[in-house]
Amino acid sequence: MKVMTVIGARPQFIKACMLSKLFHNDSKIKEILVHTGQHYDSNMSDIFFKQLQIPKPNYHLGVGSDSHGKQTGKMLIEIENIILTEKPDIVLVYGDTNSTLAGSLAASKLNIPIAHVESGLRSFNKKMPEELNRLLTDHLSTWLFCPTEEAIKNLKCEGIEKGVYLTGDIMYDATLHYRDIALNHSDILSQLKLSPGDYYLATIHRAENTDNLNKLQALLMALGELDKSVVLPLHPRTKNKIEFWNLKKFLSPSNIKVIEPLDYFDMLALESTAEIILTDSGGVQKEAYMLEVPCITLRDETEWTETVQAGWNTLVNSLDYNTILKSVSDVRVPSTHPSLFGDGETAKKIYNILLTYKS
Ligand code: UD1
Ligand code: UDP
């Protein structure tokens, strides 16, 4: 059987690594790996292939950055050509980026069944490009691999019950597999002169924060007012917007340590011993929970509502400077930590389900 995987953005390399290893080590399913080139800086792409030993993509489309329509359109044209050449039995996509949507649209028009990993997530905010990408992909998919019960409920509310599987979260597989390796391998704490448990880690890249001057300014101001060092690995989108909005001065407080995007091991190491993580990232919210670090989510809503219900995650509108500061001082580590993301065997479950497919 031939599975064609379409990936293109940082979180997708991390999501894909465990399943790609299974495909690579077993001859029953041959994986054709397509990298759209949505992310292309070496610290947003190549570093993950090297570190996580993801096979070299069979196709690299090199689409780069553009408006949503142009970027997705370029991918669509190229992916259609590859599907026609490779004739895969299944097209596999992860998450909710433009690369996800391009892969699923191209496949559905050619009647190739789609497997969607991280299916059923909803923010219920259609202004988010990711919400449109995941809604459309779910409605086109044959296999909907859900990380949580909540995701299954969301699909049911939209009338999708066939082909839905509760597999757990594939990022949990990677976190469990690499956590100790990362802690042994990384010297990021000493590089940054930080002590475990005595700093905050922040990531910002969500368009609703970066593309709004008032929000981005309030958020950076709040980070500068915090009582501890804040490590801020800067996503290129955010870096560009800080320059565009002329907000560089808000990065000057001495507690803010602005650094380049990190590789996965350094990121896991920094996440593991942060006192609190502040983020608008989906993946980082989950990893905070998996690593038992309290999280403040700099958004109005989250797809990962279970982490909020469990008391480990707090939502804060990033425009509200005072609420961010108060949320940090209000953080208490909950006494319980329910299992939310499965058993770390998600890749194997997905693999075994796909293996039963007869085209
Ligand atoms: C994309 C995904 C988002 C995901 C995020 C993960 C969509 C719509 N958004 O957002 O869901 O959470 O990836 O990080 O698919 N840039 C570079 N170098 C790179 C990549 C991007 O400089 O290697 C800059 C470019 O200026 C680009 C901007 O970042 O215009 C945004 O990149 P893009 O891939 O369009 O969206 P992200 O914000 O990264
Ligand atoms: N990540 C990383 N280096 C960084 C920031 C994030 O390796 O500097 C990892 C993080 O550990 C998680 C994934 O990237 O596994 C999350 O990706 P991102 O925040 O870009 O996207 P999202 O999850 O919001 O779609």
Side-chain angles (χ1 to χ4, degrees), residues 91-107:
V91 168
L92 177 72
V93 293
Y94 291 89
D96 54 20
T97 72
N98 287 347
S99 300
T100 316
L101 180 63
S104 50
L105 270 182

Side-chain angles (χ1 to χ4, degrees), residues 24 30 51 62 64 87 99 109-110 131 153 167-168 192 207 219 239 254 264 296 338 353:
H24 196 67
K30 179 176 165 53
Q51 200 167 53
K87 302 184 176 50
S99 300
K109 296 272 184 172
L110 293 169
E131 184 77 351
K153 276 192 218 150
T167 54
L192 296 172
L219 210 161
K239 187 179 183 185
S254 59
Y264 185 56
I296 291 177
I353 293 165

Side-chain angles (χ1 to χ4, degrees), residues 8-12 15 37-45 64-68 71-72 75 95-101 128-131 133-134 204-207 210-211 235-241 280-283:
R10 174 169 67 188
Q12 292 168 328
K15 286 169 196 171
Q38 177 170 351
H39 286 176
Y40 45 85
D41 291 347
S42 76
N43 59 14
M44 295 294 289
S45 173
S65 306
D66 217 319
S67 64
H68 286 276
Q71 187 185 53
T72 313
M75 292 176 192
D96 54 20
T97 72
N98 287 347
S99 300
T100 316
L101 180 63
M128 272 184 95
E130 292 84 357
E131 184 77 351
N133 293 341
R134 50 174 104 94
I204 308 162
H205 74 273
R206 202 56 66 195
T210 61
D211 297 11
H235 190 288
R237 173 188 205 100
T238 316
K239 187 179 183 185
N240 293 342
K241 288 292 176 177
D280 58 13
S281 156

Side-chain angles (χ1 to χ4, degrees), residues 10-11 14 48 171 205-206 233 261-262 264 267 281-283 287:
R10 174 169 67 188
I14 294 156
F48 298 99
M171 285 183 108
H205 74 273
R206 202 56 66 195
L262 292 165
Y264 185 56
M267 186 65 184
S281 156
E287 286 166 350

